[in-house]
Amino acid sequence: MDAHALALLVDIIEAGNLSLAARRLKISRANVSYHLAQLEKQTGVQLIRRTTRRIEPTEMGLKLYQHGRVIRDELRAAQESVATLGKGLHGSVRMSMPTGFGYMVMSGWLIEFKRTYPNITLDLVFDNKVDDLLRDEVDIAVRVMSDPPQQMVAIELAQMRHVVCASVAYAAEQGLPDTLEALQAAPVITSAVTGRSLKVSAYLGAERRELTLSPSLASENFVFLREAVLAGLGLGLLPDYTIAQDILDGRVVNVLDPWRFSVFGTRMFLLRMPDRYQTQAARTLIDFVVAKAAEWRASPTSGQPRS
């Protein structure tokens, strides 16, 4: 049985349809369909069930997939070893990360990584959507959520907390809310949401309450949101890391402390697909990001809780 045909079967099953597999492999859909038909002819059994939207492996297709994945990954590892021989670490990695944390925190990490590993090509996507890694052909994703998807390998990088905050000038001129109900009537500056209302969870020890806010200023640009808070345009509902240094420097005050707020989730994870072959470049980037996240958590400007 042809090892390359088995590897193609793996690519088809992981892609979920023939067109996406063809696009990833940079060959025509007809070519993919032909080689699949030849493999089914050789084995004498149907390996893939086709539906209008997706394909599904048959029982035999799934067995061959499991063997083929091992063979494909070994082939890729051998190709990578030959390609890197005498050339140092190189390759390419596609990584997706949230806009705010990506711009304000991870940018510095990734610049340092690129200086350390100049021959690794990085394709970086700044995006807040929790998309499917297979569909978007992303090797690694950093996402904020309450719990990671069960079908993915997840490494927790940090806790994510939103705080309500205001500039010192705003506090002096407008006063500050002392209850959650008063917060609902105040002008709130926060990240963009679909529609006008924003559902927020508020935590105080074991107590949890739900709030509905109508932001007066919303954007996905967290640098802009921070500037708007400093300008005294309202109360910020922002991730703690965006404003932690300003609180330390006395430019901003924390409102409704010790309440902590969650908008999109309370934990940040690094995610990857469990069955996808990890290149040495991808493994190196994962280890680097996990190490930098540990350093960042220990810094006073991270806003992370102290033990």
Side-chain angles (χ1 to χ4, degrees), residues 140-299:
I140 306 165
V142 175
R143 289 290 180 266
V144 176
M145 53 186 62
S146 296
D147 295 293
Q150 291 184 351
Q151 72 272 23
M152 294 182 185
V153 176
I155 302 173
E156 187 167 356
L157 298 179
Q159 296 182 32
M160 285 290 108
R161 304 184 304 170
H162 277 62
V163 295
V164 176
C165 56
S167 68
V168 172
Y170 179 94
E173 294 173 6
Q174 305 293 332
L176 299 174
D178 56 5
T179 65
L180 296 178
E181 290 72 22
L183 174 63
Q184 292 179 296
V188 173
I189 300 167
T190 190
S191 52
V193 295
T194 302
R196 298 184 58 187
S197 297
L198 174 65
K199 299 293 184 181
V200 179
S201 298
Y203 299 88
L204 180 61
E207 183 180 359
R208 179 179 180 272
R209 293 177 60 183
E210 293 288 339
L211 303 176
T212 300
L213 303 178
S214 297
S216 63
L217 180 59
S219 172
E220 290 189 351
N221 187 324
F222 284 81
V223 175
F224 170 76
L225 293 177
R226 172 181 171 271
E227 293 296 328
V229 171
L230 292 173
L233 299 182
L235 299 175
L237 176 60
L238 303 176
D240 46 13
Y241 64 83
T242 64
I243 212 79
Q245 185 63 59
D246 297 301
I247 292 176
L248 289 174
D249 294 341
R251 292 187 292 270
V252 171
V253 294
N254 200 339
V255 183
L256 292 173
D257 195 43
W259 283 96
R260 291 295 177 265
F261 301 86
S262 171
V263 178
F264 303 110
T266 57
R267 302 157 76 192
M268 177 175 288
F269 296 94
L270 185 149
L271 306 172
R272 66 174 179 83
M273 296 301 298
D275 298 332
R276 181 175 295 173
Y277 173 70
Q278 278 187 278
T279 64
Q280 189 176 356
R283 293 193 299 271
T284 301
L285 179 58
I286 289 172
D287 291 342
F288 184 90
V289 169
V290 170
K292 296 303 291 187
E295 293 177 11
W296 176 77
R297 289 197 304 270
S299 69

Side-chain angles (χ1 to χ4, degrees), residues 84-206:
T84 58
L85 184 63
K87 297 180 182 179
L89 186 61
H90 74 284
S92 63
V93 188
R94 182 173 170 83
M95 182 177 187
S96 175
M97 70 204 83
T99 55
F101 195 75
Y103 289 139
M104 301 185 72
V105 180
M106 293 188 69
S107 292
W109 302 355
L110 297 168
I111 288 171
E112 180 182 340
F113 179 87
K114 186 62 180 173
R115 286 187 178 134
T116 306
Y117 303 100
N119 294 325
I120 293 180
T121 299
L122 296 180
D123 182 0
L124 304 175
V125 180
F126 293 85
D127 191 354
N128 291 326
K129 299 181 180 67
V130 183
D131 285 324
D132 182 76
L133 269 69
L134 277 174
R135 185 185 67 200
D136 294 335
E137 301 181 54
V138 170
D139 299 302
I140 306 165
V142 175
R143 289 290 180 266
V144 176
M145 53 186 62
S146 296
D147 295 293
Q150 291 184 351
Q151 72 272 23
M152 294 182 185
V153 176
I155 302 173
E156 187 167 356
L157 298 179
Q159 296 182 32
M160 285 290 108
R161 304 184 304 170
H162 277 62
V163 295
V164 176
C165 56
S167 68
V168 172
Y170 179 94
E173 294 173 6
Q174 305 293 332
L176 299 174
D178 56 5
T179 65
L180 296 178
E181 290 72 22
L183 174 63
Q184 292 179 296
V188 173
I189 300 167
T190 190
S191 52
V193 295
T194 302
R196 298 184 58 187
S197 297
L198 174 65
K199 299 293 184 181
V200 179
S201 298
Y203 299 88
L204 180 61

